Amino acid sequence: MQDRTYTADAEPGDEVTVAGWVHEIRDLGGIAFLILRDSTGRIQVKFEKDEMDDELVETGLGAARESVVSVSGAVEEEPRAPTGVEVVPETVEVIAPADPELPLDPSGKVDADLSTRLDNRTLDLRKPDVQAVFEIRSAMLRAVRERFRELDATEITTPKIVATGTEGGTELFPITYFGREAFMNQSPQLFKQLAAGSNLERVFEIGPIFRAEEHNTPRHLNEATSIDFEGAYCDDGDAMDVAEEVVTAAYEAIAEECADELDALGLDEEFAVPDGEFPRLTYEEAIERINATGELDEQLVWGDDLSTEAEKALGEDVGSHYFITNWPSEIKPFYIKDHDGEPDLSTGFDLMHPRMELVSGGQREHREGQLIEGFEQQGLDPDQFEYYTKMFKYGMPPHAGFGLGGERLLMTILGLDNIREAVLFPRDRQRLSP
Ligand code: AMO
């Protein structure tokens, strides 16, 4: 709209046109107020019934809550108004009326359950705390991008429709691709490796991954945002350094740029950027510590994956972000390299928040022969991956990388209970629209 002023920018003495939603009408008899809301805040519009044109008063005060209105008039100082200023209207136009029966209350006075909120996301996003989550998500992704660029990584985008899966056969979404079976990609894993093996050397991608997860849990989505890194001439230690930097950069940017949003979420007091390096425990140390907590019914033994309960017990014990390194090779995917001379010990690592896993990564198997053996050991047919293995014939440098769950990062930064709160339109086992 031409010459529209954001409510936050309206200063006494200005002649403005503000446009936004009717947040509330307060009718005190001879005087009434329309509280108009836009993305920057709210402003009071004053109606003095006896002194103003009847039609103007009726239009302004007759607009149902959440209708979109445009108001032109003079901004005056008013210490009693919520923002210290008010608009004395000369014209009021209802641009888009709202049905007075709202499916949820955007003022937040009446609580709605998550399902109703997600079904009516546009109205839900009119609440300042919900808006804040997505402003922070945007700042977080910007910070992650900037840090990758500072680390000399090039942003790439890779196909989401693929011929084969990489992260285990049970979690694939099949689709039909011109009569052939294809899948939604679970991870940019193989493509980012193929890119790192080129002169690009260091690459990153922020994009969707698709997982037909068995479980409907508060920390799994069927479409998630993966923040991926891959770097040539990097080993597992280097990839952990990058993961740590990127996660810390997200916290720093939010602390610096999102004071109002943290305030809207009630987090301004307690928000803390992780300080120092994240401890690096080996898998062996991790299972010993878990066993020592006495929280599990059965003691863990070498080769066990860590259950949710095990992760929880260790998270409480460590109390900060931490890495688990040197996983058993048998529970890490085929593309993860083993430690030299130790075929049972992989270079795979996870970065954990005390509440959950955020990252998986590792150094990759860059030797063609060993890579093909790895496929066979995992029961995969190397011929199906020929487009990938072929490139290991032509000078594939050692390389390492990781995948960081974008929603899990946001969820843990903000202490959200459910991962669905961190996505505009989440996809889970029940939810395919909106
Ligand atoms: P992985 O499968 O562990 O590793 O995924 C990496 C990270 O992505 C996030 N994530 C999810 N978040 C929400 N819902 C899901 N269903 C979901 N699945 C995964 C998690 C997880 O830690 N190719 C490797 C990465 C690599 O080695 O570079 C991979 O995809 O935060």
Side-chain angles (χ1 to χ4, degrees):
M1 271 174 79
Q2 254 183 348
D3 300 330
R4 175 184 169 222
T5 302
Y6 280 128
T7 58
D9 297 335
E11 300 280 350
D14 292 350
E15 285 287 327
V16 296
T17 297
V18 287
W21 293 270
V22 177
H23 185 69
E24 197 181 352
I25 306 249
R26 285 193 206 130
D27 198 333
L28 309 177
I31 193 165
F33 301 106
L34 181 161
I35 310 297
L36 181 143
R37 190 189 67 239
D38 66 13
S39 63
T40 66
R42 295 173 200 169
I43 199 162
Q44 171 167 302
V45 183
K46 178 172 72 178
F47 292 88
E48 284 172 309
K49 293 181 191 169
D50 293 341
E51 287 165 35
M52 288 180 175
D53 178 60
D54 285 348
E55 205 181 310
L56 178 90
V57 172
E58 263 169 46
T59 310
L61 301 182
R65 278 174 57 212
E66 296 306 314
S67 299
V68 176
V69 297
S70 159
V71 177
S72 300
V75 183
E76 293 185 355
E77 211 169 287
E78 173 48 76
R80 288 166 296 178
T83 57
V85 295
E86 64 185 8
V87 180
V88 180
E90 275 144 38
T91 62
V92 175
E93 187 192 346
V94 176
I95 299 172
D99 190 327
E101 294 285 315
L102 297 170
L104 70 84
D105 173 18
S107 79
K109 286 181 193 142
V110 183
D111 273 345
D113 61 32
L114 185 58
S115 175
T116 308
R117 291 178 43 210
L118 295 175
D119 285 343
N120 300 280
R121 203 48 153 159
T122 306
L123 291 179
D124 185 47
L125 273 161
R126 293 182 190 168
K127 292 187 259 181
D129 55 337
V130 182
Q131 182 188 345
V133 170
F134 291 94
E135 299 285 6
I136 292 174
R137 183 179 160 118
S138 167
M140 178 189 90
L141 293 177
R142 200 166 57 237
V144 164
R145 254 192 190 98
E146 272 167 23
R147 186 52 59 98
F148 276 132
R149 291 177 56 91
E150 285 160 13
L151 293 167
D152 292 331
T154 304
E155 182 160 11
I156 57 169
T157 52
T158 61
K160 304 305 157 207
I161 302 175
V162 294
T164 51
T166 52
E167 311 296 323
T170 55
E171 294 175 6
L172 280 165
F173 281 117
I175 58 168
T176 305
Y177 191 72
F178 301 113
R180 279 151 60 193
E181 185 177 54
F183 304 97
M184 302 303 294
N185 206 7
Q186 297 168 304
S187 161
Q189 182 62 41
L190 306 189
F191 298 111
K192 65 177 179 172
Q193 287 188 253
L194 292 177
S198 76
N199 254 28
L200 293 174
E201 289 198 15
R202 289 175 154 230
V203 294
F204 75 97
E205 174 165 13
I206 302 178
I209 55 169
F210 303 90
R211 308 256 172 132
E213 299 281 2
E214 287 294 323
H215 324 283
N216 225 356
T217 81
R219 57 205 178 113
H220 285 94
L221 293 163
N222 295 111
E223 178 174 349
T225 309
S226 188
I227 300 170
D228 276 90
F229 170 78
E230 202 65 33
Y233 310 102
C234 287
D235 63 16
D236 46 342
D238 300 322
M240 283 189 264
D241 291 345
V242 174
E244 189 172 303
E245 279 211 38
V246 164
V247 168
T248 307
Y251 277 89
E252 283 169 351
I254 294 168
E256 268 169 39
E257 299 165 22
C258 303
D260 291 347
E261 288 77 12
L262 291 172
D263 186 35
L265 288 161
L267 294 175
D268 44 332
E269 303 271 306
E270 67 198 64
F271 192 78
V273 177
D275 58 343
E277 288 177 8
F278 303 159
R280 297 181 183 188
L281 312 181
T282 63
Y283 166 86
E284 196 167 355
E285 287 163 345
I287 58 172
E288 277 168 17
R289 275 179 81 154
I290 295 165
N291 287 339
T293 65
E295 294 288 329
L296 300 195
D297 296 339
E298 261 184 63
Q299 295 273 292
L300 293 173
V301 293
W302 174 266
D304 285 344
D305 211 343
L306 303 191
S307 62
T308 312
E309 293 71 40
E311 283 179 1
K312 187 163 170 275
L314 187 55
E316 279 169 11
D317 196 35
V318 179
S320 67
H321 290 87
Y322 61 100
F323 286 97
I324 307 178
T325 67
N326 295 0
W327 285 77
S329 303
E330 59 184 311
I331 51 175
K332 283 290 173 190
F334 63 84
Y335 49 76
I336 300 278
K337 188 175 170 294
D338 300 333
H339 281 287
D340 290 332
E342 293 184 273
D344 297 334
L345 201 62
S346 84
T347 62
F349 65 83
D350 286 358
L351 167 57
M352 312 293 294
H353 178 273
R355 289 177 65 196
M356 71 191 80
E357 178 197 309
L358 295 180
V359 169
S360 289
Q363 191 176 334
R364 319 305 188 181
E365 182 50 78
H366 68 283
R367 298 160 300 181
E368 193 204 358
Q370 280 86 340
L371 182 67
I372 290 178
E373 267 174 38
F375 276 108
E376 284 159 355
Q377 274 161 17
Q378 288 202 1
L380 293 164
D381 175 7
D383 289 349
Q384 285 199 323
F385 295 87
E386 205 243 349
Y387 68 92
Y388 165 75
T389 53
K390 185 170 82 180
M391 290 301 139
F392 287 69
K393 291 184 201 294
Y394 309 118
M396 180 60 74
H399 57 285
F402 64 82
L404 159 63
E407 286 79 16
R408 287 196 182 180
L409 179 61
L410 185 62
M411 178 185 181
T412 51
I413 291 178
L414 299 182
L416 305 174
D417 290 334
N418 193 315
I419 198 166
R420 291 159 186 77
E421 300 264 8
V423 198
L424 275 180
F425 300 106
R427 289 288 167 264
D428 64 25
R429 287 183 82 85
Q430 277 78 40
R431 191 165 281 282
L432 191 53
S433 63

